[in-house]
Amino acid sequence: MTSMSRARVARRIAAGAAYGGGGIGLAGAAAVGLLLAEVRMARRHVGNGSGGRVPVADGLYGTTYATTPDEPPLRLTMLGDSTAAGQGVHRASQTPGALLASGLSAVAERPVELHNVALPGATSDDLDRQVALVLANPALVPDVCVIMIGANDVTHRMPPTRSVRHLSSTVRRLRTAGAEVVVGTCPDLGTVERVQQPLRWLARRASRQLAAAQTIGTVEQGGRTVSLGDLLGPEFEANPRELFGPDNYHPSAEGYATAAMAVLPTVCAALELWPAEEERPDVTRREGFLPVAKAAAEAASEAGTEVTAAMPTGPRGPWALLKRRRRRRVPEPDRAPVQQPSQ
């Protein structure tokens, strides 16, 4: 599918989500049924040796940095599915939340308090419950929220319009409350090893269509997105033994580190912690201003690509800034051993 075709499909899905339209099929019903059978078969083999237990990474990171009444710890909250929770690894320090909290602390030179409400197996309709938990105490609204969601929407055949509607609502509620929002869009399911051709192609197509539509919905509500195709995408396909975990479905510690490196610069930019010169589009990296649907389609095709709102409107609708940020290696997480989140 060309970039322009993907942009049109993404715009239709996002418009359906905004105006209450019905589901727009990602692929033929029979093909999707076969795809689900293969992906579910792959998921039956999930077993990372910990009985599906997800390490608890909540706590305070960057404890070597001092805090003051004027500069308390930054608050970072993770929402979404098993990817956001960190399923597939054994240690809390290997989860994406811990890696992002540690990296954000190093850049900001402030402690970061991590709270994770993500639920393994969640689809986008669970975001309503998760955001209610996040905003339960108005005095403790996060500075930034990172959402990773979408893979289960594809495998559970959730209509993409419904998926994007829930995500857009979540971004709107968090932004209204004062939190910055970064969404890691739907990963590429076409690289799950047990899914064979031609279903692998259908899985990739469905994943990218949803990722592009998620980008439109998020950007229009004031959030930023980062394409997570790398999470189950080209790097995993080329090096599955290193970047997939023992269950061959969830990422390994190195896989989560790869994703965290892609997301961290955008999290820092959302909090105005990234160097000012990095905020200008670099034409040598093919960055620039595009209609939001075209930017979304391009981002879905290239992992690690950021999309954020730019000009509110133009002759071809809202415009967005597409950036391909340089990744930053995250430091080893430094967490207080007994610190509990205050949310």
Side-chain angles (χ1 to χ4, degrees):
M1 177 178 288
T2 66
S3 176
M4 288 302 298
S5 297
R6 190 176 297 113
R8 284 195 295 269
V9 172
R11 170 53 70 189
R12 287 170 52 212
I13 293 171
Y19 297 107
I24 298 175
L26 293 174
V32 170
L34 288 172
L35 168 63
L36 294 178
E38 291 215 10
V39 172
R40 286 171 180 163
M41 185 179 299
R43 296 184 67 178
R44 287 195 197 104
H45 291 267
V46 170
N48 58 19
S50 59
R53 182 184 65 85
V54 178
V56 177
D58 288 22
L60 192 69
Y61 291 77
T63 55
T64 56
Y65 299 111
T67 59
T68 67
D70 293 332
E71 281 200 338
L74 291 168
R75 297 192 186 97
L76 165 65
T77 298
M78 303 290 294
L79 303 89
D81 55 23
S82 58
T83 301
Q87 187 169 3
V89 294
H90 294 278
R91 296 196 295 272
S93 62
Q94 298 171 328
T95 62
L99 293 165
L100 287 171
S102 180
L104 177 58
S105 175
V107 174
E109 297 185 341
R110 287 170 63 182
V112 172
E113 190 172 335
L114 172 67
H115 184 44
N116 198 323
V117 299
L119 179 67
T123 52
S124 291
D125 54 3
D126 190 60
L127 290 175
D128 297 338
R129 180 193 65 82
Q130 293 181 30
V131 78
L133 293 174
V134 174
L135 300 180
N137 187 341
L140 296 173
V141 173
D143 293 288
V144 61
C145 294
V146 175
I147 305 171
M148 297 180 178
I149 198 80
N152 296 319
D153 295 26
V154 175
T155 61
H156 286 73
R157 282 196 285 186
M158 176 179 286
T161 50
R162 181 181 167 195
S163 176
V164 174
R165 189 178 305 126
H166 284 292
L167 177 60
S168 298
S169 172
T170 295
V171 174
R172 181 171 60 252
R173 291 170 66 187
L174 292 171
R175 292 291 291 128
T176 299
E180 297 293 337
V181 180
V182 175
V183 175
T185 55
C186 182
D188 186 351
L189 293 178
T191 53
V192 176
E193 285 191 298
R194 296 179 185 274
V195 177
Q196 303 300 318
Q197 293 288 17
L199 301 180
R200 183 184 296 268
W201 178 85
L202 290 171
R204 175 162 294 155
R205 179 186 178 195
S207 302
R208 289 184 175 181
Q209 285 181 359
L210 179 56
Q214 287 176 318
T215 294
I216 295 173
T218 297
V219 169
E220 289 183 344
Q221 297 302 326
R224 300 177 185 230
T225 64
V226 179
S227 168
L228 287 187
D230 268 353
L231 193 59
L232 294 173
E235 290 187 59
F236 279 68
E237 192 169 35
N239 203 6
R241 290 292 174 262
E242 179 180 344
L243 295 178
F244 272 123
D247 58 26
N248 291 328
Y249 187 83
H250 290 101
S252 66
E254 184 63 29
Y256 279 129
T258 299
M261 283 192 295
V263 174
L264 177 60
T266 300
V267 170
C268 294
L271 294 172
E272 299 183 348
L273 296 172
W274 217 237
E277 60 270 18
E278 281 286 317
E279 296 309 296
R280 293 188 292 270
D282 185 341
V283 294
T284 65
R285 297 205 299 265
R286 294 177 293 116
E287 298 177 348
F289 297 96
L290 296 168
V292 65
K294 185 169 180 11
E298 288 203 15
S301 301
E302 185 175 342
T305 305
E306 174 191 318
V307 180
T308 187
M311 295 169 282
T313 189
R316 296 163 67 183
W319 284 62
L321 173 60
L322 184 144
K323 290 191 66 65
R324 296 174 171 88
R325 295 186 183 274
R326 295 184 177 90
R327 298 181 190 180
R328 181 184 181 117
R329 171 65 66 176
V330 294
E332 185 70 20
D334 168 22
R335 179 170 62 141
V338 295
Q339 176 72 28
Q340 296 297 318
S342 57
Q343 281 188 321

